[in-house]
Amino acid sequence: MENRPLDMLNAARDKRVVVELKNNKQFVGKLKAFDIHINVVLEEAEERVNGELTRKLGSVFIRGDTIIIISPE
Amino acid sequence: MENRPLDMLNAARDKRVVVELKNNKQFVGKLKAFDIHINVVLEEAEERVNGELTRKLGSVFIRGDTIIIISPE
Amino acid sequence: MENRPLDMLNAARDKRVVVELKNNKQFVGKLKAFDIHINVVLEEAEERVNGELTRKLGSVFIRGDTIIIISPE
Amino acid sequence: MENRPLDMLNAARDKRVVVELKNNKQFVGKLKAFDIHINVVLEEAEERVNGELTRKLGSVFIRGDTIIIISPE
Amino acid sequence: MENRPLDMLNAARDKRVVVELKNNKQFVGKLKAFDIHINVVLEEAEERVNGELTRKLGSVFIRGDTIIIISPE
Amino acid sequence: MENRPLDMLNAARDKRVVVELKNNKQFVGKLKAFDIHINVVLEEAEERVNGELTRKLGSVFIRGDTIIIISPE
Amino acid sequence: MENRPLDMLNAARDKRVVVELKNNKQFVGKLKAFDIHINVVLEEAEERVNGELTRKLGSVFIRGDTIIIISPE
């Protein structure tokens, strides 16, 4: 199976993932792009705070240094 | 579609974007420039706090390490 | 025995580890991948807060700069 | 127009700019110098807190990692 | 005697050390490995909070950027 | 006049400067040395908190990442 | 006199210095080693909090990114 962490992100491309940030927000959307800084682009993204949908965004660029975890939904 | 996060920013060039910062402020404006540190320049920019317009700025340079997300408006 | 810290992570590959984060959360799961930034991928992962199971996640990518310790369970 | 964020700073050279810091202070002055870390030198600088003039400084070196935004006045 | 900080860590290899973290926790154990980022591996490790033993861990990887001091016990 | 921020520090060498830190302390002294990380050495240095002299130090090394501004007194 | 900040540390080698940390602790001891990250080793070290001796340590490795100032005692 995969041996490097980015391989897991690569396998999640075009699938829906949950991205959790240091400010306690979550963004859920289709993973379109990422880089070695873990900068991430989601499409059809939703923002959730404490599990509640707070906002719908088309596509969103998330700066890597604000991210705690990324997990397939 | 795009494969790297910066491609998404490139596609947003000259379009209006929302930039959210770690201090909870938002800047909304036309995306004129960005670099690999995610330093960003907006034109016809507005500052918003809790969704309220708080200030109009002509152009503004935003240092990348203060940014959480960038999303087309 | 091992001489470099990453050798210890290598020896823990495919074993269950506890990953503790700066935000006081723990993730427990099978260590599938890591890199020099200590970005980590766990499978069959559980989130625990104050020792209580709070969530089950399939696989999870954890950004290295949020990690305090990693220890075999 | 400009394509890189530093081009905007270059165009603001010798003009008055507002520099906002992470500690909520503002410095307003003539932009004399900057570098890729966004270290900045202002001349005829004033410090403002909550919009109030709090101090006059001749020239001031501002370390880049404390800066949030720079905007022509 | 030693001239570089890492020489002191090298001399402490296989000896018991106290590692103090930014979150006020201490880990005490046998120093098995370290690298230039001051990532550290301890064996027969104990966690202490305010001087009280709070947990026993077999071996533990500690990410360098969370460490304040390392001192032979 | 100068074009790079470090030129301003160079012009201040052997002159008295105020160095303000992220922890709200000020150090005032003669600027003897600096480097690209903005690590700084002052001589005949005084520590001030809220404008009050709190301590006299002969020479002091100040780590760059704790510095907000440097200004000739 | 010295021109680079590390020259000042070099001149303090084997002399007693005060090292102040971001967590408000001080370590006082004989400076045995330092590197470009300002990682430091002290010998015959004492920890002080608010000027009170709180602990005696033989030798101590202090990670550079936790240090604010270093000053000969």
Side-chain angles (χ1 to χ4, degrees), chain D residues 38-57:
Chain D
I38 322 301
N39 295 321
V40 156
V41 172
L42 302 183
E43 290 194 348
E44 301 164 32
E46 296 177 1
E47 182 194 75
R48 294 181 195 167
V49 180
N50 298 323
E52 306 266 311
L53 172 64
T54 45
R55 200 166 31 153
K56 285 183 185 250
L57 297 154

Side-chain angles (χ1 to χ4, degrees), chain A residues 1-6 8-9 18 20 22 24 26 36-38 64-72, chain C residues 13 21 23 25 27 32-35 37 39-41 43 47 55 57-63 65-66:
Chain A
M1 205 172 282
E2 74 260 7
N3 282 314
R4 293 167 305 174
L6 296 195
M8 183 269 213
L9 296 185
V18 180
E20 294 196 1
K22 291 178 182 168
N24 286 319
Q26 286 185 330
I36 55 162
H37 307 291
I38 321 302
D65 81 323
T66 67
I67 292 175
I68 298 176
I69 62 167
I70 302 172
S71 183
Chain C
R13 215 184 267 271
L21 305 192
N23 67 0
K25 288 186 178 175
F27 288 92
K32 292 309 289 182
F34 62 89
D35 62 22
H37 307 292
N39 295 319
V40 157
V41 171
E43 290 194 348
E47 182 193 75
R55 200 166 32 153
L57 298 153
S59 61
V60 61
F61 173 98
I62 307 175
R63 203 169 183 274
D65 80 324
T66 67

Side-chain angles (χ1 to χ4, degrees), chain A residues 15 26 35 42 48-49 59 69:
Chain A
K15 306 212 175 85
Q26 286 185 330
D35 63 22
L42 302 183
R48 293 181 195 166
V49 180
S59 62
I69 62 167

Side-chain angles (χ1 to χ4, degrees), chain B:
Chain B
M1 205 172 282
E2 73 260 9
N3 283 314
R4 294 167 305 174
L6 296 195
D7 294 338
M8 184 268 213
L9 296 185
N10 211 36
R13 215 184 267 270
D14 287 315
K15 306 213 174 86
R16 283 181 73 78
V17 297
V18 180
V19 178
E20 295 196 1
L21 305 192
K22 291 178 182 168
N23 67 358
N24 285 319
K25 288 187 177 174
Q26 285 185 331
F27 287 92
V28 184
K30 207 189 290 183
L31 181 64
K32 293 308 289 183
F34 62 88
D35 63 21
I36 56 162
H37 307 291
I38 321 303
N39 295 320
V40 156
V41 172
L42 302 183
E43 290 193 349
E44 301 164 33
E46 295 177 1
E47 181 194 75
R48 293 180 195 167
V49 180
N50 299 322
E52 306 267 311
L53 172 64
T54 45
R55 199 165 33 152
K56 284 182 184 249
L57 297 155
S59 62
V60 61
F61 173 99
I62 307 174
R63 202 169 184 273
D65 80 323
T66 68
I67 292 175
I68 299 176
I69 63 168
I70 302 172
S71 183
E73 206 184 22

Side-chain angles (χ1 to χ4, degrees), chain C residues 14-30:
Chain C
D14 287 316
K15 306 213 175 85
R16 283 180 74 77
V17 297
V18 179
V19 179
E20 295 196 0
L21 305 192
K22 291 178 181 168
N23 67 0
N24 286 318
K25 288 186 178 175
Q26 287 186 330
F27 288 92
V28 184
K30 206 189 292 183

